[in-house]
Amino acid sequence: MQVPIVALISACLLTSLILPFFISYQRRHDEGQQIREEGPKWHAKKSGTPIMGGLVFLSVIILVLLVLGAIFHLLTTSLWLFILVIFLYGAIGFSDDFIKLAKKRNMGLTALQKFSAQILTAVLFLLILMNDHHPHALPMPGALNPVHSPIIFAIFVGIWLVGFSNAVNLSDGLDGLAGGLNVIAYGTYAVLAYRDHNLVMLTVCLAVVGALIGFLFFNHKPAQIFMGDVGSLALGGGLAAISVILQRPWSLLLVGLVFVLETASVILQVGSFKLFHRRIFLMTPIHHHFEKLGWSETKVVTVFWLVGLLSSILYLSLFH
């Protein structure tokens, strides 16, 4: 059990030590966030805040996992798959962030470019996973027997990776919101990995938790740096990958409930406007709706964290 604790502490320390230099570098080069014009007016003061903090904590996570994996013989297919997912989704996010910085605008990759790259990453993940003889039986909620179909399993996993990478990305809109929710979600999967006696996945989850805690020292309100798409896309894809590797994919509907609600709010808003020319929410993703209602940013973040924590506890209580 010492290895996961070492991963947690070392990832936290490295992230918190490197970030001040990264923030200073971005400020010197005037590399900051461009705020959406249609967003809440009080977010205008965040314009210019350094972004791509995810580049730091992702690099730390990968470094810690590779070093500890090599020392303690943990370089299994599962660990390599997780690294592959966060690296490639992080690369997609980095490209998006870089274009935003270079062109000084809030638009990066096109939706088609981003979606195509996400799909290709999911396909690569699936090819390696299934080649490693991982069970491709998909458990169905409420059913006694899983569905044994490689095609259905492949489609599901593709939707899961792409869907949750985008869901976490949508949730990254307030100081500390996505970071805190991911600490809770990855912490929950650490509990599940511990119960499964899965040392590799336990180490992976705690490395992420440690890095995110180090990041939150600088990302809580008022944020000194944002994680950017490089962080949020990677974290969401990583969560989906872990849920599949641990053979509990549906757990993410409760463990990642806030991410699901954020995504659902956008889908409902777009659908309602296109069909009925009416908006359901004042603004989406839904955390902005509560801001428009007059909630402070701190209140929204705190309540959403509590929802994420309670839904994770509910899953652990009901199913494990």
Side-chain angles (χ1 to χ4, degrees), residues 125-200:
F125 171 83
L126 268 164
L127 289 173
I128 298 172
L129 184 75
M130 298 180 77
N131 187 59
D132 193 50
H133 306 293
H134 184 279
H136 55 253
L138 181 65
M140 300 303 293
L144 294 177
N145 299 313
V147 175
H148 292 273
S149 170
I151 295 175
I152 292 176
F153 180 78
I155 293 172
F156 175 87
V157 172
I159 292 172
W160 229 231
L161 263 69
V162 175
F164 275 96
S165 66
N166 287 319
V168 173
N169 182 239
L170 288 173
S171 304
D172 183 30
L174 301 179
D175 296 356
L177 178 58
L181 288 171
N182 276 282
V183 167
I184 294 167
Y186 278 94
T188 303
Y189 283 114
V191 173
L192 293 173
Y194 174 77
R195 291 180 177 180
D196 286 351
H197 306 289
N198 191 328
L199 180 62
V200 173

Side-chain angles (χ1 to χ4, degrees), residues 35 44 51 75-76 225 244 285 315:
I35 302 301
I51 62 171
L75 295 176
T76 64
I225 189 168
V244 172
Y315 177 79

Side-chain angles (χ1 to χ4, degrees), residues 20 23 56 149 159 175 234 268 318:
I23 293 170
V56 173
S149 170
I159 292 172
D175 296 356
L268 290 171
L318 290 178

Side-chain angles (χ1 to χ4, degrees), residues 44-109:
K45 61 185 178 182
K46 297 184 181 186
S47 184
T49 302
I51 62 171
M52 289 202 291
L55 183 61
V56 173
F57 66 69
L58 283 182
S59 299
V60 167
I61 291 166
I62 292 172
L63 175 64
V64 167
L65 291 177
L66 287 177
V67 171
L68 292 180
I71 294 173
F72 296 100
H73 309 291
L74 301 177
L75 295 176
T76 64
T77 302
S78 295
L79 187 139
W80 283 115
L81 276 171
F82 177 78
I83 290 177
L84 173 77
V85 168
I86 64 170
F87 177 80
L88 291 180
Y89 276 121
I92 297 167
F94 176 82
S95 302
D96 197 47
D97 290 332
F98 185 80
I99 293 171
K100 292 174 186 176
L101 286 176
K103 297 191 175 181
K104 300 292 183 181
R105 66 184 192 188
N106 196 50
M107 296 294 292
L109 295 172

